[in-house]
Amino acid sequence: MHEGFRPAAIMARCAAMCLVAFATWSCATLDPRSLLPEPGWYYGVGTGASAAEAADAARTDLISRSLTGSRDRTGVHGAQVLISAEAAKSFPLPKLRPYAQKKDAASVSIAYRLKVADWDRLEEKRQATARAEIVPKVAALRTDTTRPFADRMRLAGRLLAQLEQQGLTQLLTESGTGS
């Protein structure tokens, strides 16, 4: 009886190990496009020919969705805030690990996620730095009437391009006295 029991135990162990291996493999290759977002998190999904390309696309998407979420939570709604891949590289995000990943023969898909509270801290600091740099320049554009109007408009265009590069054109506002 002891000899008949041993093969059954071995079979049970093998089946359990196979089940664990399959569960681990299936979680590691979860399709990022099928994620159901959880409250309190921002998600970004990217697809590319290589893992590096997919990671860059996912990072850019995460930042874009986070910027949109930040704006929407202030009560101002609109289209998704879009930023360039170049601008996404300048964002000071913590080290991101893939939340989900899927690799096909032709492409790789990666999903990142970031806590809303972590994003808010990073974004508050980034916006404060941008405001400290840009507000004096905007004030100088208004008060410096010694420069020709065309020069001031060119400077305003450069400031807007800088804001666009930083993904802030739809987030920063400045209101003067009056209306």
Side-chain angles (χ1 to χ4, degrees):
M1 181 139 181
H2 187 323
E3 289 178 24
F5 177 69
R6 189 172 188 137
I10 292 173
M11 292 292 284
R13 283 185 185 154
C14 286
M17 289 188 333
C18 288
L19 184 62
V20 168
F22 177 75
T24 303
W25 175 78
S26 67
C27 290
T29 60
L30 176 67
D31 186 0
R33 291 170 290 221
S34 68
L35 291 175
L36 296 175
E38 298 174 40
W41 294 87
Y42 289 127
Y43 293 84
V45 178
T47 302
S50 67
E53 191 177 310
D56 287 344
R59 180 182 167 89
T60 301
D61 188 47
L62 174 66
I63 294 168
S64 178
R65 290 173 186 268
S66 300
L67 288 169
T68 303
S70 294
R71 185 208 53 217
D72 290 350
R73 285 187 298 121
T74 63
V76 178
H77 297 280
Q80 183 170 345
V81 176
L82 298 177
I83 63 166
S84 67
E86 188 68 30
K89 290 177 184 175
S90 70
F91 274 74
L93 292 181
K95 183 172 170 65
L96 298 170
R97 292 188 334 231
Y99 175 65
Q101 188 170 331
K102 183 177 182 181
K103 186 172 184 177
D104 292 335
S107 67
V108 177
S109 296
I110 293 177
Y112 289 134
R113 75 179 189 168
L114 182 65
K115 286 184 180 179
V116 171
D118 292 343
W119 170 260
D120 288 345
R121 279 193 303 277
L122 293 169
E123 184 60 9
E124 185 177 316
K125 183 178 177 182
R126 189 178 77 91
Q127 284 189 20
T129 302
R131 283 181 195 279
E133 181 184 337
I134 290 174
V135 166
K137 292 177 182 179
V138 170
L141 286 175
R142 283 194 206 139
T143 59
D144 187 12
T145 57
T146 59
R147 284 187 167 186
F149 183 72
D151 285 347
R152 290 188 289 164
M153 289 296 103
R154 275 193 287 279
L155 287 173
R158 286 187 203 134
L159 287 175
L160 286 173
Q162 180 182 351
L163 287 172
E164 184 175 4
Q165 165 67 26
Q166 296 174 354
L168 295 170
T169 51
Q170 298 174 7
L171 296 173
L172 291 182
T173 58
E174 194 240 336
S175 58
T177 57
S179 62

